[in-house]
Amino acid sequence: MVREINKTELNELLELYLYLHEDSIPEMTESLKETWNIIMNDMNHHIIVFEIDDKIVSSCVCVIIPNLTRGVRPYAFIENVVTHSDYRGHGYATKCLEYAKYIAEQNNCYKMMLLTGSKKESTLRFYENAGYNSSDKTAFIQWLE
């Protein structure tokens, strides 16, 4: 079942992020709790999860960004697309991305964007099959300390 995350599921999400790019679960500091509360109280920040047998197995983040151009229509940014390694290849991340698209459409977004650091052909094909393309725009990233 695809849905938005519940406030009580932070630990499960952090465990799932071990299959993204994290190498450990962060300590439950005040900063982490505060960040979680900010995210949970932000109506434009959506953490989408796919659940099987009460276990979160896939997720993505969809942030709706207000915008002053394109008829004052917002756009959506997708981040942290991840599926537990034992559950890959079953379409769960696709369901999360479809739910993100639904949220974007409900918010009258004119586009959705995502970035991936992966160069794997299978990952790039996955995003193309989900409706994204890499030819319309060029992304630049500046990492901050």
Side-chain angles (χ1 to χ4, degrees):
M1 168 178 79
V2 67
R3 60 175 173 79
E4 289 198 52
I5 199 163
N6 295 318
K7 189 170 187 169
T8 60
E9 296 175 314
L10 173 58
N11 287 330
E12 282 186 76
L13 183 64
L14 294 175
E15 287 178 18
L16 181 62
Y17 282 171
L18 292 173
Y19 297 92
L20 185 60
H21 49 65
E22 300 300 309
D23 55 10
S24 65
I25 296 173
E27 184 180 333
M28 193 57 67
T29 62
E30 285 306 311
S31 176
L32 178 64
K33 291 176 191 175
E34 181 180 329
T35 299
W36 181 244
N37 284 327
I38 290 169
I39 291 169
M40 288 289 94
N41 291 314
D42 183 350
M43 63 183 258
N44 287 322
H45 201 128
H46 305 269
I47 299 177
I48 300 157
V49 297
F50 195 94
E51 175 187 53
I52 296 176
D53 297 328
D54 297 322
K55 179 179 177 141
I56 294 174
V57 300
S58 189
S59 180
C60 74
V61 173
C62 175
V63 179
I64 306 299
I65 301 170
N67 182 38
L68 295 174
T69 65
R70 303 286 181 156
V72 195
R73 290 177 65 193
Y75 57 93
F77 189 77
I78 307 302
E79 185 64 272
N80 297 336
V81 180
V82 60
T83 300
H84 186 292
S85 63
D86 293 344
Y87 294 86
R88 291 182 181 155
H90 298 285
Y92 305 138
T94 298
K95 293 290 185 195
C96 289
L97 290 175
E98 288 170 353
Y99 196 88
K101 183 177 180 182
Y102 170 78
I103 290 170
E105 290 170 339
Q106 293 301 302
N107 281 274
N108 196 32
C109 291
Y110 77 94
K111 71 178 176 183
M112 297 177 70
M113 297 185 300
L114 67 77
L115 300 173
T116 182
S118 177
K119 306 294 184 219
K120 290 172 51 177
E121 189 61 36
S122 61
T123 301
L124 302 178
R125 199 168 37 254
F126 164 75
Y127 289 125
E128 288 172 353
N129 289 338
Y132 296 86
N133 75 71
S134 61
S135 60
D136 286 348
K137 298 230 177 202
T138 301
F140 291 89
I141 297 176
Q142 181 179 39
W143 296 102
L144 305 175
E145 302 264 339

